[in-house]
Amino acid sequence: MNYVSDSFIKERVKKPVLVINFGGQYSHLIARRVRELNVFSLIMNYEHINERVLREINPCAIILSGGPYSVYDEKAPRIGKWLLEQDIPVLGICYGAQLIASLMGGHIKEGIGEYGRTKINIVEKDLLFDGWSNDYVWMSHRDYIIDVPDSKIIAYTSNNYIAAYKLRNKKIYGVQFHPEVKHTINGTRIIENFLFKIADCKKNWFVEDLVKSLVDQIKGTVGDRDKVLIAVSGGVDSTVTAYLLKIAIGERVIPVFINHGLLREGEDKEVVENLSRIGIKPLYIDAYKRFLDRLIGTCDCETRRKIIGEEYARIFKEIMDRDPSIKWFAQGTTYPDVVESGTIPHTDKIKTHHNVGGLPEWFKVNIIEPLKWFYKDEVRMIGEKLGIPKEIIERHPFPGPGLAVRIVGKFTLKKLGIARKASKIVEDTLKKYGLYDNVWQAFAVVGDDHWVGIKGDKRVEGYIVTIRIVHSDDGMTADYHRIPYEVLDEITAKITGEIPEVTMVTYAVTPKPPSTIEPC
Ligand code: XMP
């Protein structure tokens, strides 16, 4: 996906902010903070940046992300000093700040790690901190900057490490901390100062105003005759996509709902009902047998993703073969999916997410992805503008391969039943306590490990179910929900009470990274 060659976005938003990614876990967060300030942002990997690309993008400002490397590592991602000579304001964050310092001939050294809430002392007045009156920031680094030639130091930490600097006579800044994370209180103010007081960025990103353009773009792409197939899951991305298609091409959109047997309890009925309330009447395809037959006995989730992707594609192809006027296939792909699926080389492919990686090679169709430039919160804004009901817009994300990625180890129908019932208990209990809308996802996972239990005075070897309830902004990073004990107690009692095969319930408390949200 290319900003420069995509006329939809290029014509509507000039002078974006370019976030150059060096593999940092917060790169998306930086891009989202910028967009929250109504300036369009793009993420590109450092390897794709050269002078020609930069000229074509013509950004109003550049932000260099953090990254896991030390600038002196052999494999450290680098960019030439030419980037600092372009007369474009640059803000380097964490690794980005160290990289600028090193490009300037400064020195970096391994020091005492500064992690989490850290006090800084501002020693020089500067526009970057204008109106920011806090003392604490969020740090996550071990290397520190010793010196930056030709610069003024704006702030130090209590270890006397450089926390912020500015190159003299240039609008180039480095901050060792992370203004983009919420733990840096009012950190957005620092980004805002950089965009509007230091750089000359203009507010050019108002998602709701793009709805008409999106509809026009679909009309222009699909034309007057072709039909478009879309698989709807009831989630916000596919529903908004289907709704936009419906406005654009009316009855020529063919929504299908595939029951692959990996849904949550009661989900198929609920989804079909919800969608019909907004005039989307999907073709219901009961295909659970063909999916489950192939999944039973599989031991790893990547194999399952592949099988599920293939089986989906076969069903789509069967439908398309029956009606040759269906020439397009629509997907609710969003911006992180696209970025995570490989426009960023040298980042490991962690999981083949169905939206982007799961369709087989042989499934060659015209793909239309109207939401590919948007983050999920922006898709929700579009959904709201379209009048899509809250139950759909605020529904938790649910992976395309459904419960198949919540079964660790061998896939069996027994474990599928456990995951389904336990997940329903988790969701229902959160809804009962008014907590469902406050979290990103909440579900139950089952593996092969057993725990001895006593049920009805009898020794039983039962399954262990792990509960995962997380907060996240975009699925790229996450932290576990600090769930009140009484809610956890209720979930535990219900799971062990209502599912006889379960003898132990555990709660997953590891953030992403180092963990991921789904277990596999
Ligand atoms: P992870 O587990 O990678 O999940 O931390 C991040 C987000 O992606 C969802 N997810 C998937 N979505 N197909 C999807 O459509 C998949 O195979 C898949 N795996 C994970 C996950 O639920 C979370 O919201």
Side-chain angles (χ1 to χ4, degrees):
M1 186 180 56
N2 188 329
Y3 165 77
V4 174
S5 61
D6 187 327
S7 57
F8 171 76
I9 205 79
K10 181 86 190 301
E11 276 164 22
R12 277 164 191 84
V13 275
K14 310 270 183 231
K15 299 208 121 239
V17 168
L18 175 62
V19 177
I20 302 184
N21 184 29
F22 292 97
Q25 51 168 308
Y26 298 129
S27 302
H28 278 288
L29 212 48
I30 301 172
R32 285 183 56 249
R33 293 283 171 261
V34 171
R35 291 190 186 192
E36 280 163 15
L37 293 164
N38 300 109
V39 184
F40 182 62
S41 58
L42 294 176
I43 300 186
M44 282 182 76
N45 187 49
Y46 72 99
E47 287 188 328
H48 291 162
I49 304 297
N50 55 42
E51 288 179 68
R52 181 184 56 79
V53 168
L54 201 64
R55 258 196 316 281
E56 285 179 347
I57 295 175
N58 192 18
C60 65
I62 296 172
I63 302 182
L64 309 184
S65 82
Y69 288 94
S70 157
V71 286
Y72 298 128
D73 283 348
E74 213 180 296
K75 286 205 296 193
R78 290 182 76 85
I79 214 160
K81 197 175 170 195
W82 62 267
L83 189 76
L84 309 180
E85 287 154 7
Q86 302 299 310
D87 208 20
I88 303 172
V90 179
L91 172 65
I93 295 179
C94 195
Y95 177 84
Q98 295 171 3
L99 181 65
I100 298 173
S102 126
L103 290 173
M104 293 299 294
H107 299 88
I108 318 295
K109 202 174 158 200
E110 190 174 322
I112 313 161
E114 290 178 318
Y115 296 101
R117 216 168 91 94
T118 307
K119 191 168 180 347
I120 60 167
N121 298 317
I122 297 180
V123 293
E124 282 273 348
K125 203 169 151 48
D126 192 278
L127 275 180
L128 191 65
F129 289 100
D130 202 24
W132 187 84
S133 50
N134 301 288
D135 293 328
Y136 285 92
V137 296
W138 188 260
M139 290 276 189
S140 178
H141 71 113
R142 178 164 288 279
D143 282 4
Y144 73 101
I145 301 167
I146 301 177
D147 59 338
V148 193
D150 252 339
S151 71
K152 79 165 179 183
I153 307 304
I154 304 172
Y156 289 95
T157 70
S158 34
N159 290 316
N160 228 11
Y161 293 166
I162 295 172
Y165 64 81
K166 173 186 184 302
L167 299 192
R168 287 201 193 280
N169 307 319
K170 285 188 187 273
K171 292 179 174 177
I172 296 183
Y173 287 80
V175 290
Q176 184 57 66
F177 60 91
H178 289 273
E180 72 278 20
V181 305
K182 291 237 162 80
H183 307 287
T184 295
I185 305 296
N186 207 10
T188 307
R189 181 63 188 246
I190 296 167
I191 299 174
E192 191 176 3
N193 287 341
F194 173 66
L195 299 185
F196 302 116
K197 294 189 176 157
I198 294 161
D200 188 23
C201 293
K202 299 281 183 270
K203 298 200 170 192
N204 59 8
W205 189 241
F206 297 93
V207 172
E208 290 94 335
D209 295 352
L210 288 174
V211 171
K212 187 175 173 315
S213 310
L214 282 169
V215 170
D216 290 344
Q217 187 211 20
I218 296 172
K219 279 186 191 156
T221 311
V222 174
D224 297 332
R225 282 200 297 273
D226 294 353
K227 290 185 185 167
V228 181
L229 183 69
I230 178 164
V232 285
S233 65
V236 63
D237 303 339
S238 64
T239 306
V240 170
T241 308
Y243 202 81
L244 286 168
L245 281 158
K246 198 170 151 54
I247 301 174
I249 59 167
E251 298 306 307
R252 285 185 291 130
V253 55
I254 315 291
V256 290
F257 178 81
I258 297 174
N259 182 354
H260 51 16
L262 304 158
L263 299 168
R264 291 165 287 189
E265 210 160 274
E267 188 168 4
D268 54 343
K269 201 161 156 272
E270 188 187 310
V271 168
V272 173
E273 272 171 21
N274 275 344
L275 290 174
S276 18
R277 276 168 50 208
I278 53 167
I280 296 174
K281 299 208 164 50
L283 185 67
Y284 181 96
I285 298 183
D286 208 347
Y288 72 94
K289 195 166 173 339
R290 58 196 276 186
F291 280 89
L292 297 187
D293 280 353
R294 289 189 66 192
L295 291 172
I296 289 170
T298 54
C299 288
D300 90 290
C301 285
E302 282 299 282
T303 310
R304 288 178 208 152
R305 283 188 173 88
K306 197 159 168 282
I307 293 174
I308 292 165
E310 257 170 35
E311 221 40 62
Y312 266 126
R314 282 187 196 163
I315 295 174
F316 300 146
K317 183 147 183 340
E318 287 159 16
I319 300 172
M320 293 173 105
D321 285 348
R322 282 199 296 271
D323 182 350
S325 59
I326 306 178
K327 297 231 175 353
W328 294 85
F329 181 68
Q331 298 207 104
T333 315
T334 55
Y335 194 55
D337 295 334
V338 179
V339 174
E340 211 177 53
S341 73
T343 44
I344 301 187
H346 298 300
T347 50
D348 250 8
K349 186 177 79 183
I350 312 281
K351 293 177 187 179
T352 322
H353 285 192
H354 166 71
N355 262 352
V356 281
L359 293 173
E361 283 281 304
W362 55 259
F363 187 60
K364 295 219 183 315
V365 278
N366 301 314
I367 303 243
I368 178 165
E369 296 170 313
L371 302 177
K372 68 181 174 190
W373 290 106
F374 301 93
Y375 281 104
K376 205 175 213 47
D377 51 341
E378 296 172 332
V379 174
R380 290 195 168 117
M381 285 181 202
I382 297 173
E384 265 169 36
K385 170 94 180 179
L386 292 170
I388 294 173
K390 184 174 162 289
E391 302 85 85
I392 297 179
I393 292 186
E394 283 169 15
R395 211 175 83 128
H396 286 175
F398 187 60
L403 298 174
V405 295
R406 296 181 177 169
I407 292 167
V408 182
K410 201 167 181 164
F411 187 99
T412 63
L413 291 181
K414 186 181 261 182
K415 281 161 78 182
L416 177 62
I418 294 174
R420 179 173 286 136
K421 280 194 201 139
S423 282
K424 169 98 174 130
I425 291 171
V426 173
E427 286 196 15
D428 285 354
T429 315
L430 288 191
K431 282 180 188 158
K432 175 177 157 194
Y433 284 92
L435 295 173
Y436 179 87
D437 288 340
N438 302 341
V439 301
W440 170 263
Q441 275 174 306
F443 54 88
V445 170
V446 59
D448 283 327
D449 286 343
H450 281 69
W451 198 290
V452 172
I454 316 151
K455 288 205 170 175
D457 289 338
K458 278 211 182 82
R459 175 194 158 103
V460 266
E461 284 234 356
Y463 285 91
I464 302 175
V465 159
T466 300
I467 308 302
R468 183 84 162 134
I469 305 175
V470 294
H471 294 278
S472 176
D473 284 321
D474 48 23
M476 307 294 285
T477 57
D479 196 7
Y480 77 95
H481 176 60
R482 272 54 172 179
I483 186 169
Y485 284 146
E486 66 269 25
V487 183
L488 196 56
D489 290 349
E490 188 166 323
I491 291 175
T492 306
K494 278 193 179 147
I495 290 178
T496 48
E498 293 175 23
I499 314 175
E501 299 92 339
V502 180
T503 43
M504 171 56 74
V505 175
T506 61
Y507 192 59
V509 294
T510 311
K512 172 182 179 174
S515 194
T516 54
I517 297 178
E518 305 288 349
C520 60

